[in-house]
Each structure stands twice: as C-alpha cells, then as structure tokens.
Amino acid sequence: MHTMKKVMPLIIILAILFFISSCSLALWSTGIVYFYEMAGEHNNPSDFTLLYRNEGYTIIMSRGVEGVQLSKVEAQELITSTLFTLTLDDEALEAIGTKSVDELGRTGWHVVQSYTLPRLGKGTYELCGKTICTGIEGNFSRENIVTVNIK
C-alpha cells in the first residue's frame, strides 16, 4: 500500500505527459492548424509552438459571428463579405483554393480559407492574420499577431 502511494503521482505525471505529447503529435501528423487556436484572446499578441515538419503546415483562417451559431447557409452568405490575409515575417502567404464554409466544433459554421505555411527551420517567426468583414454584424477588421516557435 505504501509503494502504491509513491507510484500514483508518477502514473499521473506520465498520463499528463502522454496527453500533452499526443496533442502535439496529432497536430504534427496532420499538418493542419486553425489560426484561431494560435491567436490570443481579444486580438492580443500570442505565442504558439509547432514541431518542425518537413512538409510544412496548412493554416486555416476562419470567420464566424461572435455569440451566434451560424447555419451552413448563413455562413455561405458571408463568403463574399470576408477577406482574409496571412503573412509570415511580412511576406504574404498563398491561399489554397477558394473560401468555403466548415463546421468548427460546437461553434457552428464559419467561413474558412486555407494557407500554405512553408517548411520552416527551427526558430521563431511572426505570423499575422487579418480578417476584414462586412455584413450582418457591421464592418470591422481584426488582426492577430502570433509568434510561432518551431522546435
């Protein structure tokens, strides 16, 4: 019984480490990262770490309506009134295909646009995402700056 008390904290620590590494490995294996997961709350600058990946990453920009779960049709209506840009160290990244809509978790449907993040060596980079919106909630823009650390 005394040995179990000593082993239990070690088991908990190992379980936490496994969970953290499996989340990082999932990101690494798919190469798809949603920009909203990287960006700071309230458009504050943020830091985000990615593992080095020979193939690079795909970054997905998105636009929903705060506090509203849009239907697919409502999100489709916002495609033409949404403009995304994404830059890496002040160089524009190229969009993949055209804007579309996607259901993001339990937050309803969003306008989405994918960008290719090239293969980056280990180091620190600045990723800046801008979204210009018009439509049902008025005209506004937002900008998020993310310091990306490649390990």
Side-chain angles (χ1 to χ4, degrees):
M1 190 65 118
H2 185 67
T3 305
M4 189 63 158
K5 286 183 181 180
K6 289 182 178 179
V7 173
M8 192 55 98
L10 180 61
I11 291 171
I12 292 170
I13 290 170
L14 289 174
I16 291 170
L17 289 174
F18 175 76
F19 176 75
I20 291 169
S21 66
S22 65
C23 290
S24 294
L25 288 175
L27 252 181
W28 181 80
S29 66
T30 64
I32 296 173
V33 183
Y34 287 87
F35 190 73
Y36 72 86
E37 293 175 336
M38 303 171 80
E41 288 192 33
H42 309 293
N43 299 329
N44 293 323
S46 61
D47 295 319
F48 196 83
T49 300
L50 292 170
L51 298 176
Y52 171 81
R53 191 168 188 276
N54 195 36
E55 300 85 3
Y57 284 89
T58 297
I59 306 294
I60 300 177
M61 300 281 294
S62 62
R63 175 207 182 176
V65 175
E66 190 172 345
V68 177
Q69 286 194 0
L70 297 174
S71 69
K72 185 175 183 178
V73 170
E74 290 169 326
Q76 288 170 329
E77 291 172 355
L78 296 177
I79 288 175
T80 58
S81 62
T82 304
L83 175 65
F84 296 116
T85 61
L86 190 61
T87 60
L88 177 68
D89 292 338
D90 295 322
E91 295 289 325
L93 295 177
E94 188 161 333
I96 303 169
T98 59
K99 289 178 277 189
S100 61
V101 297
D102 194 9
E103 192 170 24
L104 302 182
R106 296 181 183 167
T107 62
W109 289 82
H110 292 71
V111 178
V112 295
Q113 176 74 63
S114 299
Y115 289 83
T116 300
L117 185 63
R119 176 177 41 177
L120 300 171
K122 294 179 180 181
T124 302
Y125 304 87
E126 184 178 275
L127 195 59
C128 179
K130 293 181 184 177
T131 306
I132 298 172
C133 308
T134 58
I136 60 174
E137 74 274 41
N139 301 336
F140 71 93
S141 65
R142 70 173 180 241
E143 177 177 283
N144 297 98
I145 297 173
V146 178
T147 300
V148 178
N149 301 297
I150 306 290
K151 292 187 173 189

